[in-house]
Amino acid sequence: QVQLVESGGGLVQAGGSLRLSCEASASGRSFSSYAMGWFRQAPGKERAFVAAITSSGSSTYYADSVKGRFTISRVNVKKMVYLQMNSLKPEDTAVYYCAAGNTATTDKMRYNYWGQGTQVTVSS
């Protein structure tokens, strides 16, 4: 069982930066054994993959739309996952969700645990 709590969202101007954090509390299984992902959902749209990181942090994956602008990272000893977002655009506006699963994948169905989300709004 994993509980995830996101933070760090807010309102930012286009071109600005934000860092999202996801704090995990795991029972029965070590946090460091979970792959982690970030997804986002804009109003009226499906929840979409943003980034993922393997359990060790050795490999990362990104949606084409954020590649080169966003960076996912984790600190297992702190049970934390981060999403550094630079050069933000209005189309990045969405609720951002942290998720935990067995595999670092773009498929949201493969993630077992989800946070409650944090709103990111980018103004033009």
Side-chain angles (χ1 to χ4, degrees), residues 43-109:
K45 294 190 175 181
E46 297 271 333
R47 192 169 298 189
F49 170 75
V50 174
I53 188 167
T54 54
S55 57
S56 67
S58 60
S59 296
T60 57
Y61 309 91
Y62 297 94
D64 287 344
S65 59
V66 307
K67 206 170 290 184
R69 299 188 298 124
F70 291 10
T71 303
I72 187 171
S73 62
R74 65 189 296 164
V75 179
N76 282 344
V77 66
K78 293 185 176 181
K79 300 182 183 179
M80 296 291 295
V81 180
Y82 304 99
L83 186 68
Q84 177 67 43
M85 305 186 296
N86 299 329
S87 302
L88 282 161
K89 304 175 181 180
E91 51 263 44
D92 294 318
T93 295
V95 177
Y96 283 71
Y97 296 90
C98 174
N102 294 322
T103 305
T105 172
T106 62
D107 184 357
K108 59 181 177 287
M109 301 302 291

Side-chain angles (χ1 to χ4, degrees), residues 1-7 21-27 31 34-39 47 74 78-81 96-101 111-118:
Q1 187 79 8
V2 180
Q3 294 181 327
L4 303 169
V5 179
E6 302 95 335
S7 61
S21 299
C22 174
E23 183 174 9
S25 58
S27 61
F31 169 74
Y34 288 97
M36 300 296 296
W38 285 97
F39 289 76
R47 192 169 298 189
R74 65 189 296 164
K78 293 185 176 181
K79 300 182 183 179
M80 296 291 295
V81 180
Y96 283 71
Y97 296 90
C98 174
Y111 290 87
N112 306 108
Y113 304 100
W114 293 84
Q116 83 290 348
T118 185

